[in-house]
Structures are given as structure tokens and as C-alpha cells.
Amino acid sequence: NAGVTQTPKFQVLKTGQSMTLQCAQDMNHEYMSWYRQDPGMGLRLIHYSVGAGITDQGEVPNGYNVSRSTTEDFPLRLLSAAPSQTSVYFCASSLFGGGNQPQHFGDGTRLSIL
Amino acid sequence: ELKVEQNPLFLSMQEGKNYTIYCNYSTTSDRLYWYRQDPGKSLESLFVLLSNGAVKQEGRLMASLDTKARLSTLHITAAVHDLSATYFCAVDRTSGSRLTFGEGTQLTVNP
């Protein structure tokens, strides 16, 4: 198993550009989430999904869109990049009702907006 | 709104010493997780605590949960340099899909 795979690992964008961060998992996990990590702020939830076709907003959803057409994939779209979206983005997955199982995290995408 | 606070945020220790990291949270929850993150790396799960009084140990690390006090602790025994990392606690009020993280504790263990 590859676990949770995120691409790209690094990206530089100009303000106003759009892009999609990819996330795929091969563990047949129902739950998938996107977090952003900023210095001194821990990780904050952007969007999450409890299964294919079902998504919901987290703590900081503005400026981001998600969709979940398959169990395996959960892409995050930046609609019009802003410097405030410079961050490290982590995708995570876990089992349904998996309170006794931790979320598994990808390696992250380091995104800079100029 | 669920808030999770860790202290200290920065901790510099000598090898061989003991110390405790505290994680307080603001609303009722019976699921708490501890993660470790090395610089530039992903998050690695350390412990899953699911009930009041839960205690788990792995090597030099021991985690506990007091749901009545809304407090979890991560105790470090006889620290070694390899434990240098940032440690996060995270609380979940749903079924595993929505974690609220603390700010993280940056631990440095000096020889």
C-alpha cells in the first residue's frame, strides 16, 4: 500500500492563478480531509468528506473547492490563488467510524503564492 | 467552538530528563490523538486515546486522557535526542473525520 499520496510536493503560483492539489489513498478509507498548516497555528481543517459524493466545509473553507467522485481521490482546488493561501497542505484519510484508528497523512504539498 | 491548547509551545530539555506536555480542550470529547512531526515531514500517529482514564505507552512516551478535566498529557521519560520533534494533540468530536489540532509543542532535546 502506498497510503496517502499527494501531488505535487512543491508548487509556486502567481496571485489569481488556479490549481488543483491531488490526493489519493489506496486503503479504502471512507473519510478524507484537507488541512493547511501555518507556523504557530497547528493544522486547520479546510474541507472533508465522509464518502464518495459527500463533502462538507471545515474551519477555513473560503477560497477552496473539493469534490469526491471516487473513494480513492479527493482533490482540492484553489479557485483564484492569494498570498494568504501560502501554506503547507496535508491530505488525510481514515476509516468510517474509525475513532480507534488515527487519520493517515500524506507527505504534504508546499505551496507558495507570489 | 472547540479549542485545543497545548503548553508549553517550546520545550528545550536535556537528555535524561523527564517532562510533560499538556493538552487542554474546551468541549466534551472522548477521542484524542497525539501526533509527531519532524521538520519538513508528514505527521506520524503516536497514540489514540478513546476513553476517560486511558493510558498508553510506547518507549519513552506515555499519554493519558482525563475527559472530565478535558486534559491530556504526554509524558517524556529520560529524553533522548531522537525525540526532538514537534508534537501535536488533536481532538475529534465526530467519528474520525474532523480533527481540531493544538498549536504544537516544539521539543528540542540537547545532549
Side-chain angles (χ1 to χ4, degrees), chain B residues 24-99:
Chain B
N24 292 272
Y25 53 97
S26 61
T27 61
T28 301
S29 174
D30 57 4
R31 295 187 181 91
L32 190 137
Y33 307 84
W34 284 96
Y35 287 89
R36 167 182 172 146
Q37 185 181 39
D38 292 303
K41 302 295 186 181
S42 184
L43 280 79
E44 173 191 356
S45 175
L46 295 174
F47 300 108
V48 178
L49 303 170
L50 295 179
S51 61
N52 186 42
V55 177
K56 291 196 173 179
Q57 182 163 6
E58 180 73 32
R60 301 174 187 274
L61 301 178
M62 183 174 70
S64 66
L65 178 62
D66 181 344
T67 58
K68 294 179 181 177
R70 300 175 187 165
L71 171 69
S72 179
T73 60
L74 181 66
H75 187 72
I76 303 157
T77 301
V80 294
H81 180 70
D82 285 351
L83 290 179
S84 297
T86 298
Y87 293 85
F88 291 95
C89 64
V91 177
D92 171 33
R93 288 184 298 151
T94 57
S95 301
S97 63
R98 302 187 63 175
L99 296 184

Side-chain angles (χ1 to χ4, degrees), chain A residues 31 33 35 37 40-43 45 48 50 57-58 90 94-103 105-107 110, chain B residues 1 31 33 35 37 39-45 47-48 50 88 92 94-104:
Chain A
Y31 288 171
S33 308
Y35 297 86
Q37 183 176 28
M41 301 185 74
L43 281 77
L45 182 65
Y48 67 101
V50 299
Q57 297 181 349
F90 287 99
S94 60
L95 287 169
F96 175 79
N100 60 339
Q101 296 292 327
Q103 288 196 357
F105 284 81
D107 289 338
R110 285 145 184 83
Chain B
E1 180 187 354
R31 295 187 181 91
Y33 307 84
Y35 287 89
Q37 185 181 39
K41 302 295 186 181
S42 184
L43 280 79
E44 173 191 356
S45 175
F47 300 108
V48 178
L50 295 179
F88 291 95
D92 171 33
T94 57
S95 301
S97 63
R98 302 187 63 175
L99 296 184
T100 300
F101 280 82
E103 308 98 317

